[in-house]
Amino acid sequence: MKGRDSVNIEDATIQKLLCVLSTCILATIITLLLIIYCMIRYFQVQRNVDEVSDNVAGMMRHVPHLKLKRAKEMYQKICKEYGEESPIALELGVNYANRMMEADLWLEGERLLLRLNSISRRVLGVYHDTRTYVEAAIAFYKTRRVMVKSENAHQYEFLNYDNSDYGHKCVIKGPIVDAVNRDTKQEKVQSINFDDLRIILGTPVVLRGMDKGLRHLSGKLAVILEWNDEADPFTYQVAFEGNRYEPCNVEPKNVRIVFDLPPKRH
């Protein structure tokens, strides 16, 4: 009897061990399955987030152009109904020019502001609010701005080249702490090497002294599109009005800031 009881006890113990082992194995499998499921969900969510981010980024790239299209439609509609000399058309024209700047159409935007300024001077009184508004807009955009390479903080107004030094030196005024409510009395005029400056994006320039292969671009009007800080020597990427030529990289010695835009070539 004792032998039989002993066998029964051993069988029961083994069954309990097997049951515990099975439970542990089952729990381990369930845990692994949960981990795998969570990993799959994580990567799915991450992929969706990346897709959404890409879609948002793509949409944001088109936002300036969507604003530009709407501004153009409104401006043309008001010009047709009330005439381009009407105050409301002039003010919507300034809005249209602003949208051009946002869409990197700097030359086109400045040319429109120049035309609006000419119209407002011709048809509106000196103290008319719309004329003041248009003149403030063109004055803001016609201010040529630069940054000092060693500071890389505030902007300065580029006043002129020092012709006594063959253009290697120039005169700037600043720093401009608040571009909208500017206090020029607090700013200082100083002379500085042109190579120590960085021209603000969107500034019109004329190319000169271009090397072989790009010599046909000498004398052409362009705008500063990007800074190539990683390049040695440093270069600007410039773009041309109407995409007449492909953007190209030029050294500071090959650009000269333009203060007044020349007539547009057709």
Side-chain angles (χ1 to χ4, degrees), residues 52-260:
V52 170
S53 299
D54 291 341
N55 291 336
V56 170
M59 290 173 63
M60 291 304 294
R61 283 195 293 270
H62 293 292
V63 165
H65 294 281
L66 293 174
K67 290 182 178 179
L68 174 64
K69 182 180 178 182
R70 179 61 176 162
K72 181 179 180 180
E73 290 172 351
M74 287 295 297
Y75 174 62
Q76 290 178 338
K77 179 181 178 182
I78 294 302
C79 283
K80 186 176 181 180
E81 292 183 7
Y82 299 99
E84 67 173 6
E85 297 179 350
S86 63
I88 188 173
L90 291 169
E91 293 185 15
L92 284 174
V94 172
N95 178 63
Y96 179 28
N98 287 332
R99 300 291 83 78
M100 284 183 174
M101 305 290 187
E102 290 179 359
D104 297 343
L105 300 173
W106 292 292
L107 293 176
E108 293 85 345
E110 187 168 321
R111 288 191 191 283
L112 175 58
L113 286 174
L114 289 170
R115 189 164 68 84
L116 296 172
N117 190 43
S118 176
I119 294 172
S120 69
R121 283 174 172 269
R122 186 175 69 248
V123 302
L124 300 178
V126 177
Y127 302 106
H128 196 285
D129 288 344
T130 298
R131 176 171 170 174
T132 303
Y133 176 61
V134 175
E135 288 180 343
I138 189 61
F140 179 84
Y141 283 115
K142 280 198 67 178
T143 300
R144 306 310 184 204
R145 296 178 177 82
V146 294
M147 296 181 74
V148 178
K149 180 174 62 175
S150 59
E151 296 179 8
N152 201 26
H154 294 296
Q155 296 182 5
Y156 290 75
E157 180 179 359
F158 188 93
L159 296 180
N160 60 269
Y161 288 93
D162 186 350
N163 292 325
S164 63
D165 196 39
Y166 301 100
H168 296 301
K169 281 189 172 292
C170 52
V171 181
I172 61 176
K173 184 177 182 178
I176 302 173
V177 179
D178 187 339
V180 177
N181 301 306
R182 186 176 170 186
D183 184 4
T184 56
K185 294 180 181 179
Q186 301 298 321
E187 299 172 4
K188 295 181 179 179
V189 176
Q190 60 178 299
S191 179
I192 191 170
N193 289 326
F194 184 70
D195 288 344
D196 292 332
L197 299 177
R198 294 291 180 261
I199 305 173
I200 296 301
L201 306 187
T203 302
V205 295
V206 64
L207 304 189
R208 62 175 189 167
M210 298 298 290
D211 294 332
K212 192 174 180 181
L214 294 175
R215 200 165 291 166
H216 63 288
L217 296 177
S218 290
K220 296 294 188 291
L221 181 68
V223 292
I224 303 296
L225 193 63
E226 288 182 7
W227 297 352
N228 297 317
D229 289 306
E230 303 301 322
D232 186 19
F234 170 85
T235 59
Y236 294 107
Q237 186 181 60
V238 298
F240 301 89
E241 189 172 20
N243 298 319
R244 190 169 298 175
Y245 304 99
E246 289 294 322
C248 65
N249 296 325
V250 297
E251 294 182 39
K253 67 179 182 180
N254 297 122
V255 301
R256 196 171 179 92
I257 292 176
V258 173
F259 292 93
D260 290 306

